[in-house]
Amino acid sequence: MKRLFLDSSALAKRYVKESGTERVLALLSNADEVLLSVLAVPELISAFNRLRREKKISHGQYLSLKNSLAADIPQATLIDISTAVIECAVRSLEEAPLRTLDALHIGSAIISSADLFVSADARQCESAEAMHLKVEHVGEQA
């Protein structure tokens, strides 16, 4: 595996054990380069805070997750939201019933020439395939 793009739902499995975690960890261990949209960090912080508010994790666990994410980000290649990413996202939205952020992840993967797009969102995976990305679905989103 060379260039691995993870959307936020897949990246979350790196930090929170759930269905698909083992597969995401295996993919990460075999990747030459990990690609992420700049959206991934705020989306994961939002998800971690949701878990904290729902009392599924403690404040200390939240801080640990946040620190782990912050330590990993410098090792990934972050894809900015550029005009080209937006154009790809618009094409994705025209092809399938996607949420805006899901389309931006697909656009980021296309522009970054990802070898594999990984997501826990089945609808997003279908749309990414329609946009000619090689896709791996890693289980249902939590």
Side-chain angles (χ1 to χ4, degrees), residues 4-134:
L4 178 69
F5 187 97
L6 283 82
D7 87 321
S8 299
S9 67
L11 183 60
K13 295 174 184 303
R14 156 82 177 83
Y15 304 98
V16 178
K17 188 165 177 51
E18 57 189 17
S19 174
T21 291
E22 290 178 16
R23 182 61 185 147
V24 166
L25 295 175
L27 290 167
L28 284 167
S29 70
N30 290 318
D32 293 328
E33 184 177 12
V34 176
L35 307 165
L36 304 171
S37 168
V38 295
L39 299 169
V41 173
E43 283 190 300
L44 259 63
I45 295 300
S46 175
F48 297 161
N49 272 291
R50 178 181 49 83
L51 292 172
R52 185 180 50 81
R53 284 189 303 274
E54 294 172 354
K55 304 208 184 303
K56 294 181 179 176
I57 62 172
S58 68
H59 181 70
Q61 289 169 312
Y62 162 76
L63 292 175
S64 178
L65 290 171
K66 179 181 171 184
N67 290 336
S68 293
L69 174 63
D72 289 344
I73 291 304
Q75 299 163 33
T77 300
L78 293 179
I79 310 304
D80 287 324
I81 304 299
S82 64
T83 301
V85 167
I86 292 169
E87 289 171 356
C88 289
V90 168
R91 285 200 319 272
S92 295
L93 290 163
E94 291 172 342
E95 294 295 320
L98 281 172
R99 293 176 296 222
T100 304
L101 295 180
D102 291 343
L104 288 167
H105 282 286
I106 291 171
S108 296
I110 292 168
I111 294 306
S112 65
S113 301
D115 294 316
L116 183 64
F117 178 86
V118 183
S119 174
D121 183 320
R123 181 173 47 184
Q124 185 185 34
C125 286
E126 289 174 21
S127 298
E129 284 179 335
M131 295 297 292
H132 309 291
L133 288 168
K134 183 177 177 188

